[in-house]
Amino acid sequence: MHSTAAASWAPAPACASAAARARRLSTVTRAVTPTLQPGVENKDAPSWLAEPIRHVVKSQQFNREALEHVLKVAREMEDVRPGTDASQQLQGAIMSTLFYEPSTRTRLSFESAMARLGGTILTTESAAEFSSAAKGETLEDTIRTVESYADVVVLRHFQAGSAERAAKAASIPIINAGDGPGQHPTQALLDVYTIQREIGRLDNFKIGLIGDLANGRTVRSLAYVLSMYPGVKMYFVAPDECRMKDDIKTYLTSVGVDWEEVNDLAMVAADVDVLYQTRIQKERFQDRPEDYEKAKGKYIINGELMKLVKGDAVVLHPLPRVDEIHPEVDSDPRAAYFRQARNGLYVRMALLKLCLDGRALGH
């Protein structure tokens, strides 16, 4: 169940006491206690670990067992060192990174992950412009061709649902590296890995999801994953032009997750364990630039706001950032977004290992 709170963005004084913050928070309309217990998952769904082809296309394909196994293997990947047997686990495997949209962290971390496990990379950047897609080739035909050269494809595409289309056409694993405004499941996995590493748990905590929640595939995927854990409270803090879409809110309500829409970032900052900031995605507003101008710069995390944040809380961001986190925050030990980016390497190493585990390479 849920509530929507209307409040203006006005940071509380830096000297506000904990009691004062609690009083401010109590002014928000509280969510009704859910009928269902949070953390509900489909126990009858097949485990991703048992799938014959382990595609990674959306967050809700994982159950708790599979998710926690990925996190366990990711922790093991932190200890992989060059020149060891562990660094040759994927020797002979070939990964194709097929990117139709720009990327720095996702593409390079996947390529680094494959190299650190002894594999080989075939990379295509700006595939929409420099591949046969520019000649009109369908995504399905591209996948059927690329699978002749590689053992796994990491795909970023501008259309929501493209990863599922690719997976239906493929006989090798497809890993969704972001499909337009749809989902970004590997980012969600590295986010929960980071939360676990930073605050020591994935249940019974509060998180504020901030910024472009309408177009942000990272927050959509993260909401699905966190819904599997009990006691997670979500605050959605977004400009009117960027509010979380109804499909996510309906799903969260259906599984009993407690969520609220709130306009006051300062109030949320004082209450949560995790602040998850995102940029307003200008590229998603090409046909309505006036909405982008209204939304940008509305919610900024800066030094003053950090004075309200709990001492053991953390600030995350999937990056890249524009101006939504001031550089002065970077030196704060609670700023975990660059550690978060580093964790992406370990999670993607784990996914590549698990996707290719037991598969015959090169057909």
Side-chain angles (χ1 to χ4, degrees):
M1 305 286 284
H2 67 277
S3 69
T4 301
S8 62
W9 186 87
C15 60
S17 67
R21 295 174 194 169
R23 286 194 297 273
R24 294 184 75 240
L25 191 59
S26 69
T27 63
V28 179
T29 304
R30 304 306 299 172
V32 178
T33 302
T35 303
L36 299 175
Q37 289 297 316
V40 171
E41 62 173 314
N42 183 3
K43 297 296 184 181
D44 297 324
S47 172
W48 176 78
L49 293 170
E51 294 292 332
I53 302 178
R54 293 176 186 166
H55 302 299
V56 179
V57 295
K58 57 185 179 180
S59 293
Q60 56 267 50
Q61 75 183 89
F62 291 89
N63 59 19
R64 282 277 296 272
E65 175 200 18
L67 178 61
E68 289 170 6
H69 188 68
V70 171
L71 301 185
K72 175 179 177 291
V73 176
R75 181 63 186 87
E76 295 169 0
M77 293 298 105
E78 291 194 32
D79 298 324
V80 172
R81 297 292 181 268
T84 63
D85 289 344
S87 70
Q88 299 302 311
Q89 295 178 66
L90 295 183
Q91 186 175 21
I94 300 173
M95 176 187 72
S96 170
T97 50
L98 189 60
F99 278 58
Y100 291 78
E101 284 191 321
S103 172
T104 301
R105 277 151 296 278
T106 303
R107 183 171 65 88
L108 291 181
S109 64
F110 264 114
E111 292 177 1
S112 177
M114 193 60 163
R116 287 169 184 261
L117 291 174
T120 304
I121 300 106
L122 303 176
T123 185
T124 301
E125 190 178 13
S126 302
E129 183 179 358
F130 297 117
S131 75
S132 291
K135 304 175 184 178
E137 183 174 61
T138 66
L139 175 62
E140 288 81 357
D141 282 358
T142 298
I143 293 298
R144 292 187 184 106
T145 301
V146 172
E147 70 179 13
S148 299
Y149 315 136
D151 301 294
V152 57
V153 173
V154 179
L155 173 69
R156 169 164 291 186
H157 201 274
F158 49 84
Q159 291 181 338
S162 56
E164 291 190 83
R165 287 172 49 204
K168 289 177 181 177
S171 61
I172 63 173
I174 301 295
I175 300 179
N176 181 3
D179 58 343
Q183 285 208 40
H184 197 346
T186 72
Q187 179 70 45
L189 294 176
L190 77 89
D191 290 341
V192 296
Y193 184 71
T194 301
I195 292 169
Q196 185 182 65
R197 298 285 278 161
E198 293 288 334
I199 70 171
R201 65 189 186 281
L202 289 173
D203 55 5
N204 300 310
F205 75 94
K206 298 177 182 179
I207 183 170
L209 301 174
I210 310 157
D212 194 347
L213 307 187
N215 301 298
R217 55 198 174 203
T218 64
V219 290
R220 292 173 58 81
S221 291
L222 182 57
Y224 278 123
V225 171
L226 291 180
S227 72
M228 290 189 285
Y229 290 88
V232 176
K233 170 66 178 286
M234 302 183 195
Y235 292 105
F236 301 146
V237 187
D240 290 341
E241 299 78 14
C242 304
R243 290 185 178 275
M244 182 66 83
K245 292 181 179 177
D246 288 342
D247 63 326
I248 298 291
K249 294 186 285 190
T250 300
Y251 174 80
L252 294 177
T253 299
S254 73
V255 296
V257 174
D258 191 4
W259 61 268
E260 294 180 31
E261 288 186 317
V262 181
N263 291 333
D264 190 340
L265 176 57
M267 179 188 63
V268 171
D271 187 54
V272 298
D273 304 289
V274 178
L275 279 173
Y276 191 101
Q277 176 70 292
T278 65
R279 71 183 174 93
I280 305 300
Q281 299 184 36
K282 186 176 183 179
E283 64 271 24
R284 311 294 181 198
F285 289 84
Q286 292 183 4
D287 59 342
R288 45 196 181 98
E290 67 283 355
D291 285 345
Y292 172 76
E293 292 299 322
K294 292 177 185 176
K296 72 173 185 177
K298 185 168 185 179
Y299 296 114
I300 295 176
I301 297 176
N302 54 25
E304 283 301 304
L305 189 80
M306 290 300 292
K307 294 175 182 178
L308 306 176
V309 177
K310 295 189 293 187
D312 57 354
V314 293
V315 178
L316 302 182
H317 192 307
L319 301 175
R321 65 174 165 185
V322 181
D323 59 0
E324 62 276 1
I325 299 180
H326 195 282
E328 67 189 3
V329 177
D330 295 352
S331 59
D332 191 306
R334 295 168 295 178
Y337 31 89
F338 292 114
R339 298 193 293 273
Q340 177 185 4
R342 177 74 177 178
N343 288 337
L345 171 64
Y346 307 130
V347 169
R348 286 161 180 149
M349 289 171 72
L351 287 172
L352 288 172
K353 172 180 167 59
L354 292 169
C355 283
L356 294 172
D357 191 32
R359 289 185 57 82
L361 303 179
H363 314 292

